[in-house]
Amino acid sequence: MTILKKFFLSFQQSFSFLFLLKWTFICLLIGAFTGSASAVFLWTLEWATAYRENNVWIIALLPIGGLFIGLSYHYFGEHVVKGNNLLIEEYHTPKKIIPFKMAPLVFIGTILTHLFGGSAGREGTAVQIGGAIADQFTKIFKLSNLDRKIILISGISAGFSAVFGTPLAGAIFALEVLLIGRIKFDAILPSFLAAVFANYFCTVWQISHHTHYTISTVTELTPITVFWSLLAGIIFGLVSLLFSKSTHLWENLFKKQISYPPLRPVVGGVVLAIVVYLMGTTKYIGLGIPTIVDAFNIDLNSYDFFLKLVLTSFTLGAGFKGGEVTPLFFIGATLGNVLIWFIPLPMPLLAGMGFVAVFAGATNTPIACTIMGIELFGIESGVFIALACTTSYLFSGHSGIYTAQVIGSPKQLFFKNDIGKTLHALRRKIK
């Protein structure tokens, strides 16, 4: 027995096999629970959106929905109100297991936000659900702090993958979003396993569906088209910077002017309800998927991206719940749609580039967004997608929608003193 044990331990692959077994089992559990929860979430979100569009009067109740969300988090979820930032903070400076109540709170809060007419997304919700579910296994299996880092990555990966149907992008996003410029390589396999399992279990229920987007026209890759792609990437990066700054601006303004947190979404809800009534359209609230689809096919208004940017940043800054990513898709796709005015690239291609590039700049995840673009649109547009995403990432600077992100490698050597600092710390330094 001793000889057999020594023989077994003498092979590095033996430990790799045990690692594989361990994380396949854990990620199967994470994927099953997160994927199933995401399927229910997507179905409920579709119902809320359809009900709102068929009963537009319900937008007048947005302040009441905001009050319910505000009171829920103030009295029952004060520790989890940071959302995605809490997951990132726990990764870098672990303190305590993410409370499971994060999942139902953000689930209900997001559904109410969409039902009553807020402008928000769904990625943040799915990631928080995945992170909250996954971290419970840290306690169940009594895992170490190093394993807990992998658990959190797997939860983020599972949530992202399930809600968008993009397992490759989901896995890379979870690895890339926690530390700007660095990737935790020992978590690569678990991240992919969790993403694949979650995507499978989300689809196997067949109670929701993912939207399909198509880039119908891709131009030839030449030095000239590369130049235009870089210019588009610069614009996408600056707009992602504007979105991040706007969200933080509204959040700080509400905190400064209204000391009692539950009242912030009430006031914000009143303003949003009035604005939507005056605009006479629901085009810029909710996810805005019909407009995103139109951006690939027809000419849109030049101001569509800006109105969505303002309404979404205001909604989230006021304390309503939901993600930022689908609104970023809206902003990027509609912005790309109008860049055809002075950038001679096919409109569907520009819309697709903007779709993922604004997201890349706002979340500091250029690789994940490039992979996502390829998963959604096909490899034919891959080089253009990559150019737009990486350029947007560079020009968004050391900013982003997740202020708990830590800079592992600066975007330029000129900012090497920023290494190890959070985006929140850099914001305070600038002030």
Side-chain angles (χ1 to χ4, degrees):
M1 187 68 180
T2 304
I3 296 175
L4 183 62
K5 182 178 179 181
K6 288 183 178 179
F7 178 79
F8 180 79
L9 295 177
S10 65
F11 288 94
Q12 183 180 9
Q13 284 73 22
S14 302
F15 295 98
S16 298
F17 184 69
L18 292 175
F19 182 90
L20 176 63
L21 287 178
K22 170 184 174 180
W23 285 106
T24 299
F25 174 69
I26 294 176
C27 290
L28 178 61
L29 295 175
I30 293 173
F33 285 107
T34 303
S36 300
S38 296
V40 175
F41 168 63
L42 289 174
W43 177 83
T44 311
L45 191 58
E46 289 176 5
W47 169 84
T49 301
Y51 187 87
R52 184 195 67 232
E53 291 303 301
N54 292 323
N55 301 272
V56 181
W57 59 266
I58 202 172
I59 298 175
L61 302 180
L62 187 57
I64 297 176
L67 179 62
F68 183 86
I69 295 171
L71 290 173
S72 298
Y73 272 87
H74 186 65
Y75 290 105
F76 303 105
E78 192 171 8
H79 180 64
V80 299
V81 72
K82 292 181 180 179
N84 289 356
N85 282 313
L86 178 61
L87 299 177
I88 299 173
E89 288 177 0
E90 284 295 328
Y91 175 87
H92 292 293
T93 55
K95 296 177 181 177
K96 56 186 298 187
I97 302 297
I98 302 291
F100 180 74
K101 62 184 176 182
M102 169 184 269
L105 279 172
V106 73
F107 185 110
I108 296 171
T110 302
I111 296 302
L112 290 178
T113 296
H114 284 270
L115 176 64
F116 292 113
S119 177
R122 54 192 174 179
E123 159 272 339
T125 304
V127 165
Q128 291 174 54
I129 291 174
I133 290 174
D135 209 18
Q136 305 314 304
F137 294 109
T138 300
K139 179 170 52 180
I140 294 172
F141 297 122
K142 295 180 170 43
L143 300 178
S144 66
N145 282 336
L146 289 177
D147 280 344
R148 189 186 179 213
K149 289 179 180 288
I150 299 179
I151 277 282
L152 289 173
I153 288 174
S154 300
I156 294 171
S157 170
F160 191 99
S161 168
V163 80
F164 290 123
T166 53
L168 296 181
I172 299 298
F173 175 83
L175 294 164
E176 198 176 13
V177 73
L178 296 165
L179 190 62
I180 298 175
R182 302 285 184 188
I183 287 179
K184 185 174 174 60
F185 280 91
D186 58 346
I188 287 180
L189 179 60
S191 186
F192 274 97
L193 285 171
V196 171
F197 287 140
N199 181 58
Y200 170 77
F201 281 102
C202 182
T203 56
V204 76
W205 291 105
Q206 297 184 345
I207 60 175
S208 62
H209 67 279
H210 299 293
T211 307
H212 296 285
Y213 306 95
T214 303
I215 295 179
S216 57
T217 306
V218 178
T219 190
E220 183 182 357
L221 189 65
T222 67
I224 297 300
T225 56
V226 168
F227 166 78
W228 289 118
S229 298
L230 294 176
L231 177 59
I234 293 173
I235 297 172
F236 294 141
L238 294 177
V239 170
S240 67
L241 172 63
L242 177 62
F243 179 84
S244 299
K245 295 291 186 182
S246 298
T247 303
H248 302 323
L249 172 67
W250 291 120
E251 182 181 1
N252 292 333
L253 183 62
F254 273 99
K255 287 182 178 179
K256 183 178 179 180
Q257 299 298 328
I258 305 174
S259 59
Y260 186 55
L263 284 181
R264 294 168 192 163
V266 176
V267 175
V270 171
V271 174
L272 284 169
I274 294 174
V275 169
V276 173
Y277 173 78
L278 293 176
M279 288 193 303
T281 179
T282 59
K283 180 179 181 179
Y284 305 104
I285 61 176
L287 295 174
I289 289 178
T291 304
I292 298 176
V293 174
D294 287 343
F296 290 84
N297 303 298
I298 62 175
D299 292 330
L300 298 178
N301 300 317
S302 60
Y303 52 79
D304 282 345
F305 81 93
F306 184 73
L307 288 180
K308 185 64 173 178
L309 186 153
V310 173
L311 288 180
T312 303
S313 61
F314 184 87
T315 297
L316 298 175
F320 286 94
K321 298 303 170 184
E324 301 91 347
V325 174
T326 304
L328 287 170
F329 292 162
F330 182 115
I331 294 166
T334 53
L335 174 60
N337 180 278
V338 299
L339 290 185
I340 188 66
W341 291 0
F342 60 91
I343 293 183
L345 293 176
M347 183 179 70
L349 179 60
L350 282 170
M353 291 163 64
F355 183 103
V356 286
V358 173
F359 171 34
T363 59
N364 296 299
T365 56
I367 301 176
C369 292
T370 299
I371 298 298
M372 186 176 208
I374 293 173
E375 280 189 285
L376 292 175
F377 310 128
I379 192 63
E380 295 80 8
S381 58
V383 175
F384 295 100
I385 294 291
L387 290 172
C389 288
T390 51
T391 307
S392 175
Y393 165 76
L394 177 64
F395 277 82
S396 67
H398 285 170
S399 67
I401 56 178
Y402 308 133
T403 57
Q405 280 183 310
V406 174
I407 297 175
S409 178
K411 297 184 181 182
Q412 301 174 43
L413 290 179
F414 181 79
F415 298 104
K416 62 182 179 180
N417 291 333
D418 292 346
I419 295 177
K421 297 178 181 178
T422 64
L423 297 185
H424 177 70
L426 293 177
R427 282 176 54 212
R428 295 183 63 181
K429 180 180 177 182
I430 293 174
K431 291 179 181 179

